């Protein structure tokens, strides 16, 4: 390879052009804001999932409360206490889920339950009787609460 002489003089036109060049300046770093489209999509999807889970949790809250109460009622040994608590649960569901009046009488409650199920359960108002041995049918109570919850959802 041939060595390039260092003392070589440059062309004056080239020297003038090189002196007029601006130095290279690095561009500014890209900012974080505004976010890229992908980040907006991830943020939107996250908000939708959070909103849907809050909505689902609130909409099923009443159902979860009823299921806990049904479990508690099934563990009661005293028939009279079980009937009273079942009656209170049905009344509470009629008011909160089915939109019935809080001032409804026991006869109106029995008629409303009969309109849903086609008959009045034996245990519904039997806790008012002195000699009361009618046990609460847990499957019938569960079916009635499901009907009341569906009526409230409609």
């Amino acid at each position: 390879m041939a060595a390039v002489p260092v003392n070589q003089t440059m062309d004056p036109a080239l020297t003038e052009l090189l002196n007029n060049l601006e130095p290279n300046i690095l561009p500014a770093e890209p900012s974080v804001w505004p976010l890229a489209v992908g980040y907006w999509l991830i943020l939107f999807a996250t908000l939708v999932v959070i909103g849907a889970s809050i909505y689902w949790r609130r909409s099923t809250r009443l159902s979860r409360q009823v299921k806990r109460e049904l479990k508690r009622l099934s563990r009661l040994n005293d028939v009279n206490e079980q009937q009273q608590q079942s009656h209170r649960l049905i009344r509470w569901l009629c008011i909160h889920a089915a939109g019935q009046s809080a001032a409804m009488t026991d006869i109106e409650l029995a008629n409303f339950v009969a309109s849903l199920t086609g008959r009045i359960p034996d245990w519904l108002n039997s806790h008012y009787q002195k000699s009361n041995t009618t046990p609460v049918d847990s499957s019938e109570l569960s079916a009635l609460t499901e009907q009341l919850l569906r009526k409230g959802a409609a």
Side-chain angles (χ1 to χ4, degrees):
M1 208 176 202
V4 178
V6 177
N7 295 349
Q8 196 176 32
T9 60
M10 292 180 76
D11 184 15
L14 183 61
T15 306
E16 183 181 333
L17 286 174
L18 285 174
N19 288 337
N20 290 334
L21 283 178
E22 293 288 329
N24 286 340
I25 300 174
L26 292 176
E29 288 288 322
S31 71
V32 174
W33 196 259
L35 295 175
V37 174
Y39 289 114
W40 282 111
L41 291 174
I42 290 171
L43 181 65
F44 179 72
T46 303
L47 290 176
V48 165
V49 167
I50 289 171
S53 65
I54 289 172
Y55 174 78
W56 176 81
R57 183 99 171 130
R58 286 188 178 196
S59 67
T60 60
R61 180 181 59 203
L62 186 62
S63 176
R64 287 191 316 271
Q65 285 176 337
V66 168
K67 285 179 184 176
R68 278 194 304 268
E69 187 65 18
L70 287 173
K71 272 186 188 175
R72 190 185 70 76
L73 287 175
S74 68
R75 286 180 272 172
L76 288 177
N77 293 328
D78 185 18
V79 173
N80 193 30
E81 181 68 22
Q82 193 177 29
Q83 287 173 347
Q84 286 177 355
Q85 295 297 321
S86 299
H87 180 86
R88 286 185 190 141
L89 175 64
I90 297 301
R91 179 178 286 281
W92 185 80
L93 274 174
C94 285
I95 293 168
H96 292 296
Q100 296 297 311
S101 169
M104 70 177 154
T105 65
D106 291 330
I107 295 171
E108 290 171 339
L109 174 68
N111 290 336
F112 181 70
V113 169
S115 71
L116 289 176
T117 61
R119 69 178 203 84
I120 300 172
D122 297 333
W123 49 264
L124 185 63
N125 287 328
S126 62
H127 63 281
Y128 291 118
Q129 300 169 0
K130 284 188 177 184
S131 60
N132 160 14
T133 59
T134 308
V136 175
D137 183 7
S138 60
S139 62
E140 188 176 29
L141 178 62
S142 179
L144 181 58
T145 57
E146 286 296 321
Q147 284 181 332
L148 287 168
L149 287 171
R150 275 193 304 253
K151 180 131 178 104

